[in-house]
Amino acid sequence: MKLFSGRVFLLIAVLVTLHGCGFKFRGSQPLPEGIQQVYLADPKEYSPLKRALKEHFDFYQIDYVANIPVAQKDQTIAIYLYPDSLDRRLLSLFSTGQVAEYELVLTIKLQVIFPNNEPQIVEFDITREYQDDPDAILAKSRELDLILKEMRNQAADRIVRMLPSLDSREH
């Protein structure tokens, strides 16, 4: 019984310490009040990044609007996506000279405009390593599609999370 109560005390002490220093699980911190509605523009109507961003908006309970009503111009954040680009960098070769491993670099560029503020251009990269196998072309093609989807989801999450730091209205 003493061992059990010692563990409980230790657990409570760790939780109180973590809470006291401001630790929060990733994704558990709500966005500020001013980020409630976002206009999203993309040259490609059905781009994978735009779809991923819409899913993240739903998760964070941010309203997505297809156009900015005149009455809400001073309340709506506008995000303009540029076409993303994917680069492959050679990391290693098989002894036969065929590519064994790539580094995939997805470059994301966007413009964010907060009401009554100057436009801000944001650009960042998401990287992953990808092992190629010339004997399993079909499986590797599917794996590449899954990796790209995961990279775009990570980019969407990063965009939503950076919005509060880009907002200069409260500073």
Side-chain angles (χ1 to χ4, degrees):
M1 189 66 175
K2 279 188 165 193
L3 180 62
F4 179 72
S5 63
R7 287 184 181 173
V8 171
F9 175 74
L10 182 62
L11 179 64
I12 291 172
V14 168
L15 290 175
V16 167
T17 303
L18 286 176
H19 183 70
C21 74
F23 175 81
K24 292 189 190 292
F25 286 108
R26 186 174 183 189
S28 66
Q29 190 171 6
L31 292 172
E33 287 288 321
I35 302 175
Q36 297 172 345
Q37 193 174 61
V38 174
Y39 166 73
L40 182 61
D42 191 335
K44 296 179 184 176
E45 183 61 32
Y46 301 105
S47 76
L49 180 59
K50 186 175 182 178
R51 280 194 305 255
L53 265 170
K54 286 180 181 180
E55 289 174 11
H56 279 76
F57 290 159
D58 288 342
F59 178 77
Y60 286 102
Q61 300 173 349
I62 299 172
D63 291 332
Y64 160 75
V65 292
N67 53 31
I68 304 174
V70 175
Q72 295 178 342
K73 270 207 180 288
D74 61 338
Q75 302 167 7
T76 305
I77 300 164
I79 299 176
Y80 299 93
L81 298 173
Y82 293 90
D84 55 20
S85 66
L86 179 68
D87 291 323
R88 294 183 191 199
R89 296 181 187 149
L90 180 67
L91 290 180
S92 65
L93 298 171
F94 290 117
S95 59
T96 60
Q98 290 180 313
V99 176
E101 194 174 19
Y102 289 107
E103 179 182 50
L104 302 173
V105 180
L106 182 66
T107 302
I108 305 294
K109 185 175 180 181
L110 58 131
Q111 182 181 47
V112 180
I113 304 174
F114 281 89
N116 304 320
N117 282 322
E118 294 294 315
Q120 301 176 56
I121 302 286
V122 177
E123 186 172 345
F124 60 90
D125 294 332
I126 304 288
T127 60
R128 291 282 188 287
E129 290 183 11
Y130 171 71
Q131 294 180 350
D132 200 11
D133 183 2
D135 297 331
I137 294 173
L138 222 50
K140 285 299 181 175
S141 173
R142 177 71 178 135
E143 181 184 354
L144 180 60
D145 290 343
L146 290 172
I147 290 172
L148 288 174
K149 183 178 180 180
E150 177 187 304
M151 291 170 77
R152 287 189 177 102
N153 277 332
Q154 183 180 355
D157 188 54
R158 188 169 175 181
I159 290 168
V160 172
R161 291 183 173 286
M162 74 172 50
L163 286 177
S165 66
L166 294 173
D167 188 1
S168 63
R169 294 177 295 176
E170 299 170 0
H171 304 299

